[in-house]
Amino acid sequence: MKSKYIPKRYVIVILTFICTSVCYIERVGFSIAYTAAADAAGIDQSSKGVILSTFYYGYACSQIPGGWVAQKVGGRRVLLFSFLLWSLTCAFVPLDPNQVVMLVVARLLVGVAQGFIFPSIHTVLAQWVPPHERSRSVSLTTSGMYFGAAAGMLILPTLVRLKGPQSVFLVEAALGIMWSLLWLKYASDPPRSEHPKATAAGFGESLLPTKGSQKGKVENGVHSMRTQKIPWKRIIFSLPVWAIVANNFTFHYALYVLMNWLPTYFELGLNSSLQEMGSSKMIPYLNMFLFSNIGGIVADHLITRRIMSVTKTRKLLNTVGFLVASCALICLPLFRTPNGVVLCSSVALGFLALGRAGFAVNHMDVAPRYAGIVMGVCNTAGTLAGIVGVDLTGRLLEGAKAAQLDLTSPESWRAVFLIPGLLCIFSSIMFLVLSTGERIFD
């Protein structure tokens, strides 16, 4: 990883990819480990939903503060601190479904710590990555989420069976600490002479269309920018930002519902054991990894070759991704075999990941200087989706049981997958109407 052979920005992107991979190994790992422990202890589905959604309360609370702190202190330092915090929490908290208070506090703490991660990552990427590499760099970084989820789904059920649920926590903590050491050794802030903090977008600004004028001045032939206050009011009332917010909410609603409840759907809805499914259970997340990177490469190709404008590129990929995912989500309960569900969920998650080349990079288009903050605002919506979606799914299933419906029946699960399917349609229309690829915050 010496910068002599690999450009430093590539090292940063690779490290952020590993970062998101480890984070999602943790999230999938908790779902798998807690589900196994809770089922053994006879915990009902509604109570499981409450514990599984607790993480997102802490995660929601720290998104906007995470963006603000990363903007003020630097994403590199904030990222290291948050990673160490959640890793140590996993290392020292016992997994006992009957110790509800301890689990709630631990999941809140892990949620708060991980809430700083994505705003910090986007602050770092906005400083290091030139505009013509943003789509594929952000896509590679975020595809780590799906790679981590796939690895977790493949390895962790076997680990639970052989070593017990608590072993998952220890493995996650070890991975977190190892990544922290890598980040401490190889990460750095961008050289001020090449990438001044004031021009956080960094490279090739001519590729980004700009609305309005920059508040700057020229001194001794050097263009410099005056430090400005964060335009909170403009960010909050910006329609393009709200388009990103809506799509972030929908994406994470679908992702978190599938991530947290798909193991239960296999176990109770299809009477199929995760351990017996082998490597097929990781296919949906590998598909996300693949489609996320395809989306990034296609987007950058369309933009850099000037085949399409930034705005049209974002809208095209977002619309295709979300509409195909909508169809797959709505059809998912109709599949009554494990292979059929794997196929359908793979299509849904794969095309959702493709859509990230639209909405998930768009905040770096509209506000490169405030990328971490806008990401924090938008990711707060995504986190609220986790709170609502994961908890609501548990209540829907308990309601189905109260209505004398068997959880093996498709009727019990129809609403679970119909809701994110309809949200995909609504948010894709909203993005088509309101989004832009132009910079609107100087």
Side-chain angles (χ1 to χ4, degrees):
M1 295 180 106
K2 293 181 179 180
S3 58
K4 179 180 177 181
Y5 302 106
I6 304 177
K8 188 67 174 182
R9 67 184 185 277
Y10 294 170
V11 175
I12 296 295
V13 171
I14 291 169
L15 286 173
T16 56
F17 166 79
I18 299 172
C19 168
T20 57
S21 298
V22 174
C23 285
Y24 269 70
I25 287 175
E26 189 282 326
R27 297 189 200 184
V28 169
F30 180 81
S31 175
I32 292 171
Y34 175 73
T35 297
D39 288 345
I43 305 296
D44 63 54
Q45 302 304 315
S46 181
S47 298
K48 283 169 62 178
V50 170
I51 295 296
L52 289 171
S53 64
T54 298
F55 167 91
Y56 302 106
Y57 287 93
Y59 196 65
C61 291
S62 58
Q63 289 292 317
I64 295 176
W68 181 82
V69 172
Q71 185 82 14
K72 295 294 183 181
V73 178
R76 179 178 61 86
R77 296 180 182 88
V78 176
L79 199 52
L80 178 63
F81 172 78
S82 59
F83 229 83
L84 286 173
L85 179 58
W86 77 253
S87 299
L88 292 174
T89 302
C90 287
F92 293 110
V93 172
L95 178 57
D96 183 351
N98 295 311
Q99 295 187 25
V100 176
V101 174
M102 181 177 290
L103 275 180
V104 166
V105 171
R107 293 310 292 166
L108 282 173
L109 187 57
V110 172
V112 168
Q114 290 203 17
F116 282 81
I117 288 175
F118 281 91
S120 299
I121 285 176
H122 282 77
T123 299
V124 170
L125 293 180
Q127 292 173 333
W128 274 104
V129 179
H132 62 281
E133 294 179 1
R134 280 180 184 157
S135 296
R136 59 181 179 269
S137 295
V138 173
S139 294
L140 178 61
T141 294
T142 55
S143 71
M145 301 188 301
Y146 325 130
F147 182 83
M153 289 293 290
L154 177 64
I155 298 169
L156 297 181
T158 302
L159 183 63
V160 169
R161 178 169 56 85
L162 296 177
K163 299 292 184 179
Q166 186 67 46
S167 62
V168 172
F169 276 26
L170 298 178
V171 168
E172 292 166 354
L175 289 174
I177 291 171
M178 284 190 289
W179 181 88
S180 300
L181 294 174
L182 284 174
W183 186 252
L184 187 63
K185 180 176 177 60
Y186 293 109
S188 65
D189 294 324
R192 292 182 180 273
S193 60
E194 297 178 20
H195 320 291
K197 184 178 179 181
T199 54
F203 304 81
E205 285 300 307
S206 61
L207 290 176
L208 285 177
T210 306
K211 286 184 177 178
S213 60
Q214 294 180 341
K215 295 182 179 179
K217 59 183 179 179
V218 177
E219 294 180 354
N220 300 323
V222 179
H223 184 75
S224 63
M225 301 293 296
R226 292 198 301 266
T227 301
Q228 301 175 36
K229 292 183 179 179
I230 298 169
W232 289 108
K233 185 175 180 180
R234 290 182 59 208
I235 289 173
I236 291 172
F237 289 98
S238 169
L239 292 180
V241 169
W242 277 104
I244 304 172
V245 166
N247 283 266
N248 221 328
F249 181 93
T250 295
F251 174 86
H252 286 95
Y253 188 103
L255 175 62
Y256 290 150
V257 165
L258 290 175
M259 182 181 295
N260 285 280
W261 287 102
L262 207 54
T264 301
Y265 184 63
F266 281 118
E267 297 278 354
L268 299 182
L270 303 178
N271 291 319
S272 178
S273 171
L274 282 177
Q275 284 86 359
E276 295 174 357
M277 289 179 62
S279 61
S280 64
K281 57 182 174 288
M282 67 185 283
I283 293 177
Y285 300 107
L286 284 180
N287 213 39
M288 291 190 86
F289 172 80
L290 177 64
F291 273 71
S292 177
N293 286 289
I294 289 174
I297 292 169
V298 170
D300 278 347
H301 177 77
L302 293 175
I303 293 169
T304 55
R305 295 298 180 94
R306 301 189 184 277
I307 298 172
M308 297 180 72
S309 67
V310 176
T311 299
K312 289 182 179 179
T313 299
R314 302 289 182 235
K315 290 183 177 183
L316 172 67
L317 290 169
N318 196 86
T319 303
V320 171
F322 274 54
L323 290 184
V324 174
S326 172
C327 295
L329 285 165
I330 293 172
C331 293
L332 197 148
L334 301 178
F335 291 83
R336 304 304 301 156
T337 65
N339 288 338
V341 172
V342 166
L343 172 64
C344 199
S345 59
S346 295
V347 173
L349 290 175
F351 276 88
L352 279 173
L354 181 76
R356 286 187 68 88
F359 79 90
V361 192
N362 196 218
H363 59 279
M364 296 177 72
D365 300 324
V366 301
R369 187 187 310 280
Y370 308 110
I373 291 171
V374 177
M375 178 62 184
V377 172
C378 297
N379 225 27
T380 299
T383 307
L384 292 176
I387 296 172
V388 173
V390 175
D391 185 48
L392 177 61
T393 298
R395 296 178 186 276
L396 287 172
L397 294 177
E398 283 299 308
K401 289 174 65 177
Q404 308 300 318
L405 290 175
D406 190 344
L407 290 186
T408 60
S409 167
E411 293 295 328
S412 302
W413 292 87
R414 181 160 291 133
V416 170
F417 301 113
L418 178 64
I419 292 172
L422 295 178
L423 284 174
C424 283
I425 297 173
F426 171 78
S427 60
S428 64
I429 294 172
M430 189 171 176
F431 195 81
L432 269 175
V433 175
L434 300 179
S435 68
T436 180
E438 298 183 356
R439 177 151 40 117
I440 58 177
F441 297 101
D442 294 334

